[in-house]
Amino acid sequence: MIGVFVRVVILAAALSAFLETSGAAANVEVIKLVKTHVTIIVDNAVLQTGGTVLVVPQKVSRDAWDRLPKRPENSLLRNNPKSRVIGDEDRLLEVRVSSKVSVVEFDYPADGTYGFNLVPGDNTRPSALRTKRILVGSGYYTDQKTGTRGDWGEVSTIHIYGSDVDESFSRSVRMSSNEIMNIGADRIVGEGFVVHRLSDSQIDRAVIKEPK
């Protein structure tokens, strides 16, 4: 064991010397990607019934992203923990989902990255919310009025556990994205995001039923 340790030390010293003499160490640069982070607030009604959120990041130019506010002016939470840990150059968005089926589209910079988390409306009771990401992948839909195609580079299907729905419902929601985006859902538009929320009757019409 001592012999192995000595060889490891010698190799490490040799690598360090190589980097210093070759100038490689001076050329190492750590690049921190700027980030959009989205806190998705789940209303109490959805906590009870359960539901599905399709989370769709949308790439935008850095100029467009730079114009977004760094933080929500009026937070929807009593105290969003992300506001304390998000980087100075990043953006924090807050959105609320109040429907059994919602689509959350948000902007992130072409030269950066993104992240999201779900919290209960009353964030003092985190145990009230149980979620599972069941599908991740690209997608698209076709606007039936204009014929144009809307591409989703990535879609995360988030299942929210509750009394009324199971995971097969959330899988059906993901399969029904074309119908959902053409049903005329209510849209909440904010700086850097859009939330599409379906009524119960729209869900009944839009979500493809799995054969029994």
Side-chain angles (χ1 to χ4, degrees), residues 17 25 30 35 42 48 66 68 70 97 101 135 140 149-150 153 180 191 197 201 211:
V30 177
K35 181 178 184 179
V42 182
Q48 297 295 322
D66 281 340
L68 297 178
K70 292 186 176 182
V97 293
V101 173
L135 293 169
Y140 72 93
R149 170 169 159 158
I180 287 170
E191 292 186 280
R197 56 184 190 185
S201 61

Side-chain angles (χ1 to χ4, degrees), residues 10-81:
I10 292 172
L11 286 172
L15 176 60
S16 177
F18 168 76
L19 291 175
E20 290 178 3
T21 56
S22 66
N27 295 326
V28 173
E29 182 180 1
V30 177
I31 300 174
K32 180 183 180 298
L33 294 177
V34 291
K35 181 178 184 179
T36 293
H37 190 90
V38 184
T39 294
I40 301 172
I41 303 161
V42 182
D43 271 0
N44 287 333
V46 185
L47 292 177
Q48 297 295 322
T49 63
T52 312
V53 183
L54 300 183
V55 182
V56 185
Q58 302 276 40
K59 190 182 295 186
V60 298
S61 71
R62 181 62 183 269
D63 287 343
W65 186 80
D66 281 340
R67 290 193 291 270
L68 297 178
K70 292 186 176 182
R71 305 287 187 276
E73 185 174 346
N74 297 303
S75 179
L76 300 174
L77 293 174
R78 295 180 187 176
N79 181 25
N80 188 343

Side-chain angles (χ1 to χ4, degrees), residues 88-104:
D88 291 337
E89 300 299 320
D90 299 334
R91 299 291 185 270
L92 174 63
L93 308 178
E94 291 180 348
V95 304
R96 185 182 297 278
V97 293
S98 56
S99 168
K100 195 182 295 183
V101 173
S102 300
V103 180
V104 175

